Amino acid sequence: LGDENKVEFINLEAANRVEYLVTNKVDIVLANFTVTPERAKKVDFANPYMKVAIGVVSANSEPIKKVEDLKGKKLIVTKGTTADVYFTKNHPEIETLSFDHNSESFAALKDKRGAALTHDNTLLFAWAKQNEGFEVGIDTLGPLDTIAPAVKKGNKDLLLWINQTLEKLGEEKFIENAYNETLKPIYGDSVKIESVIIEGGKL
């Protein structure tokens, strides 16, 4: 938009992202928003800029390497995330401990209130690198999804503008440069850039 003062930034809880678009509280959601068929029924997604799957992080001392390792243990989730939905739907036998905010979820893991935490693997890779004593024992779970901006259903003009902007940013290698500046120093060579980013909004 040329001027950051033209934009009002609002922090959202993961569970409220769809609601804020539907009720016109925000115009665009750009907050690690994974594209799912259920969400696409309620909002319109722009083209994607990242790839993502579900992961599980746990303490090195008691690593969770497969879903079966969670039997009889508590799994920490952030409400409204794709990881929350995935485990609720596919593994109702696993007891979950839910929080509204990511900060609360990760604090609970550090406090050993749960055996593991599930979230987007791209987030967990970075968090585990920055927090000694933890590892992503399950790095890919469920389908490979994409992350994209979203607008209110039917807002075609804004959707078109976002997609055109992503295309222009792709010509500048904006997403690649952002990755190299922010995520690569954390991931190192353990994660391939092509497995994480989507440049120009095109897979």
Side-chain angles (χ1 to χ4, degrees), residues 56-59 62-64 69-70 73-76 108-109 112-117 134:
V56 176
V57 65
S58 54
E62 298 181 67
I64 300 297
D69 294 341
L70 290 165
K73 299 176 181 177
K74 288 183 181 179
L75 176 65
I76 299 166
L109 179 63
K112 300 181 179 180
R113 282 177 273 169
L117 179 150
F134 294 91

Side-chain angles (χ1 to χ4, degrees), residues 130 172-188 193 197:
Q130 294 178 311
E172 305 170 12
K173 300 294 183 184
F174 178 87
I175 302 296
E176 179 180 338
N177 292 333
Y179 175 92
N180 287 332
E181 290 177 11
T182 59
L183 294 179
K184 186 174 175 57
I186 300 170
Y187 289 165
I193 186 171
I197 73 162

